[in-house]
Structures are given as structure tokens and as C-alpha cells.
Amino acid sequence: MLLLTFLIIFLPFWIVLWIWSPGKPKPFLDEHGKAIVGSISEKIYIDINGVKQGMFIRGKDITKPVLLYLHGGMPDYFLTANYPIKLDEDFVVVWWEQRGTGMSFQSGVKSQVISSDQLVSDAIALTNYLRKRFSQEKIYLMGHSGGTFIGMLTAAKAPELFHAYIGISQVSNQLLSEQLAYNYMLEQYKKNGNRRMVQKLEMAPAIINGSISKQYLALRDPCMHELGIGTMRSMHSVLKGIFLPSLRFEEYTLKEKINLWRSKAASGVSAVWTEMLSTDLNKAVSKLTIPVYFMEGIYDYTCSYTLARSYFNLIEAPIKGFYTFHQSAHSPIFEEPDKMSTILQQDVRRNRIDLADQDKQ
């Protein structure tokens, strides 16, 4: 009887999930429904420093410059299904799912063994693979959220491989960023008269003995999204905004969807969260020898907008531009894709800062 009840409740769910999971990347089609000649849309696994790692590679023109995208705490290519972007019109975009995450998750590998040094080494190895495959001397490096932590370290270690570094929601001093986020959320709930959440936050301080508390982490994502300072300004639910869209994403197989969330559960905020909290990039990387571009949502408290701006002012670089996205929180790449595309076309591709915030240069 128990087994029958289980099948009645859960079997339809698994059937639907299986139907949603053909696992094939969608091609770029012309007006006649045929694949665009010279385009690329593939999902591949390659060996990177001894570990099989997966990625999506997409571009409407295979001769365009390659852009390597470093995701944050979990791969987010699946969000493009609901939040279309235009990067693949001007670049061949590589959506790499880093060691230990998503398609690159291996159940026998503990997240604790993944270090920033390892991820930087992987990024460099993948960059060299892409340079050779697409016959390009240099590529573009773009990081988002936690990916900017690895991105800055990679750009500093091997600048000769990249045209420019693009940081979206740039990490700087993440420990301080978490305290600022906590202060803001507590203040907002007090203004809103939400005594229940005020009490919860007051009982869960962000930092205890110099480290982020588990009690705060349990409240962090729900509070950020409820207040519009999390993943996106308009995304108020992790369940509806991230979890369900990942299940509906047809370019993942069922196993890949399961691994996406197994890896997230294993790593928490990030596989290198402890390193991010203990590293102040203001001191670790204060100079780059390639152009630097920061794209920042003004409502972002996941990685503080204010701290990113301060970090930008500190950095030495031959060219640097800071861009405020006034309708965005943590993901301007998805929240304001048209503006992002225009900046990349007119400034980043041309080594200019014409569209940058003029008071931040």
C-alpha cells in the first residue's frame, strides 16, 4: 500500500521531469527553421586537468571572439531560457560548469578539495583549449558573482591569454559584503514593520567570531530575494525563480539536473566560499595589465555594489570602466540584457569606456 501511494504521488512527477529532459542543446535557426550556417550550439565534456568537465558553447557566428563565462555558486546557463541574452550574437560564449558543479559534478569528489588555485588552473587550461580550437590568440574572460573571484585571480595570473576581464557583480571583500547585506536587510524589515523577520535576523547575526554564521546563511537567500536584492530585482522566490526553471530546462538530461542540485547541496554558497570570505581582493589583486570592466546592479547586496565600486577605484589597469545597471540587483546580464550587449559591443570589443559611469573612472 505504501509503495502504491508513493507511485501515485511521485511517478507522474518523474515522468514529466523525464519528458522535460531530452538533454540536447537547441540550434540557432534561420527564418526557414534551418540551422544557421556557421553557428555553433553544442554541449560537450572535455578533460580539464584530469577531470571530465561539461560546458555549453553557443554562438551565431563561429568566427566571433570567444568569451569564457565563469558562473558563481552554481551554473546558471539554464536561466537563459526565461531570460534571453544577446551575448551569442557577438561572441562564441562558453558556459563552463566548473569542477564540482552541475555537469562537472562527481559524487566521489568532495567539495572541500576544490580550491581557488585549482579552479584558476582549470580556467587557464580551458582557455588554452579554446584558443587552440577556435584559432584565437586571446579570448574574453567574464565572471559573475563568485565567478569574479576566480576571474580576477585568473586574469592576474595569465593576462596574456585575455583581451579583457569583465566582472559582473564583482566580489571584493565578501566578508564585509555579508555584514552590509545583513545591516540593510535588518533595516528594511524594521522599516516595513516586519517584527517576525526582525526578530529572526537579530537572533542570527551575520558574523560570529570572524566567520559567517550558519543561522544567518539559513535566512540569507530567502531574505535577499524577498527584498529584491538577491539574484534579480524582480525574483522574489528561489523556488519559482531558480529551482523550477532548472527542472524545466530541456538542454539538461535528468541526471544532469539531479547533479546540478547535488553539487549545490554539497558546496553550499560556493565550493571556495571559505577562501572568498578570508580573501580581500583589494589587497590580493589591485592591478591588472589588461582592460577591466565592472557591470554592477545598483540593488545588489549579494556582492555589494558599494564595495565593488570602491574596489574598482582602487584597481590599476590600462583601461577600466564601471557601469551601473539601475534596474538590476545581482544579475544585470539577465535583468538588462540589451544594455549589457550594447556595452560589450561598443566599449569592451573596442577597448573604450564611452558608456561607462563618468564619475567612476
Side-chain angles (χ1 to χ4, degrees):
M1 186 65 181
L2 184 62
L3 177 60
L4 179 60
T5 302
F6 177 84
L7 290 175
I8 291 174
I9 295 175
F10 291 103
L11 186 58
F13 168 77
W14 286 107
I15 291 174
V16 170
L17 190 55
W18 180 77
I19 293 172
W20 282 344
S21 310
K24 296 181 180 180
K26 295 182 179 180
F28 292 102
L29 303 177
D30 62 19
E31 62 273 18
H32 303 294
K34 296 182 178 180
I36 296 176
V37 176
S39 65
I40 181 172
S41 179
E42 66 179 36
K43 180 173 71 175
I44 63 170
Y45 287 86
I46 66 172
D47 182 283
I48 302 176
N49 290 328
V51 174
K52 182 181 177 182
Q53 300 186 39
M55 67 202 71
F56 293 89
I57 303 180
R58 289 179 56 80
K60 290 186 177 180
D61 183 346
I62 201 169
T63 67
K64 295 287 188 178
V66 172
L67 184 151
L68 174 58
Y69 178 84
L70 308 178
H71 64 75
M74 68 181 290
D76 52 6
Y77 167 62
F78 67 88
L79 288 175
T80 61
N82 291 338
Y83 301 93
I85 62 175
K86 297 182 177 181
L87 296 186
D88 45 31
E89 296 180 2
D90 300 293
F91 299 90
V92 173
V93 185
V94 180
W95 299 85
W96 169 40
E97 308 209 345
Q98 301 156 26
R99 177 185 298 251
T101 68
M103 295 194 299
S104 305
F105 175 74
Q106 295 182 351
S107 57
V109 179
K110 295 182 179 180
S111 61
Q112 289 89 335
V113 305
I114 300 175
S115 67
S116 61
D117 286 344
Q118 182 64 70
L119 293 180
V120 168
S121 177
D122 286 354
I124 291 173
L126 176 55
T127 295
N128 286 327
Y129 163 83
L130 296 170
R131 291 169 63 227
K132 181 178 180 180
R133 175 177 174 181
F134 293 97
S135 301
Q136 296 185 16
E137 182 181 355
K138 297 181 179 182
I139 69 172
Y140 288 90
L141 183 64
M142 174 182 283
H144 174 227
S145 187
T148 66
F149 179 67
I150 303 302
M152 286 297 292
L153 296 174
T154 301
K157 186 170 184 178
E160 70 279 1
L161 303 181
F162 306 106
H163 292 293
Y165 167 73
I166 305 121
I168 303 174
S169 303
Q170 179 66 47
V171 168
S172 52
N173 182 335
Q174 194 57 31
L175 187 65
L176 179 55
S177 178
E178 296 298 333
Q179 184 62 60
L180 294 178
Y182 174 85
N183 295 343
Y184 176 85
M185 291 187 290
L186 184 58
E187 179 185 1
Q188 290 303 304
Y189 280 123
K190 286 180 177 179
K191 287 183 177 179
N192 297 342
N194 191 330
R195 295 180 180 179
R196 182 178 64 88
M197 289 309 305
V198 168
Q199 185 177 29
K200 283 189 174 184
L201 283 170
E202 287 180 338
M203 294 176 63
I207 301 175
I208 299 177
N209 297 326
S211 181
I212 298 297
S213 72
K214 293 181 180 180
Q215 295 86 348
Y216 163 72
L217 283 179
L219 297 173
R220 178 181 186 268
D221 277 0
C223 289
M224 284 186 173
H225 284 84
E226 185 175 62
L227 294 172
I229 60 171
T231 304
M232 300 185 199
R233 182 68 172 160
S234 61
M235 183 186 292
H236 299 297
S237 167
V238 175
L239 174 64
K240 294 180 180 179
I242 298 177
F243 182 69
L244 292 180
S246 75
L247 297 186
R248 290 195 294 263
F249 187 60
E250 296 185 356
E251 297 182 43
Y252 278 142
T253 64
L254 180 56
K255 180 180 179 181
E256 288 165 347
K257 291 176 181 179
I258 293 172
N259 282 343
L260 178 71
W261 289 101
R262 287 182 70 192
S263 64
K264 182 61 176 173
S267 63
V269 178
S270 167
V272 292
W273 180 238
T274 301
E275 285 189 71
M276 286 174 57
L277 293 175
S278 63
T279 303
D280 183 355
L281 283 180
N282 291 274
K283 299 176 181 177
V285 182
S286 59
K287 181 179 180 180
L288 288 181
T289 57
I290 59 175
V292 173
Y293 299 91
F294 279 13
M295 317 290 182
E296 305 293 330
I298 199 165
Y299 296 105
D300 189 5
Y301 275 85
T302 305
C303 295
S304 169
Y305 170 89
T306 302
L307 294 183
R309 186 173 62 184
S310 297
Y311 183 34
F312 171 84
N313 292 336
L314 172 72
I315 291 173
E316 295 181 34
I319 299 171
K320 63 178 189 176
F322 188 98
Y323 302 80
T324 297
F325 286 71
H326 293 278
Q327 308 303 318
S328 297
H330 191 53
S331 305
I333 186 174
F334 300 120
E335 296 176 271
E336 298 181 65
D338 290 338
K339 180 174 180 177
M340 179 70 67
S341 178
T342 299
I343 292 169
L344 292 173
Q345 288 179 40
Q346 298 187 21
D347 276 9
V348 177
R349 287 282 306 274
R350 298 165 61 199
N351 287 334
R352 302 181 68 90
I353 55 171
D354 297 345
L355 303 177
D357 298 2
Q358 294 305 309
D359 61 333
K360 306 293 190 301
Q361 310 315 315

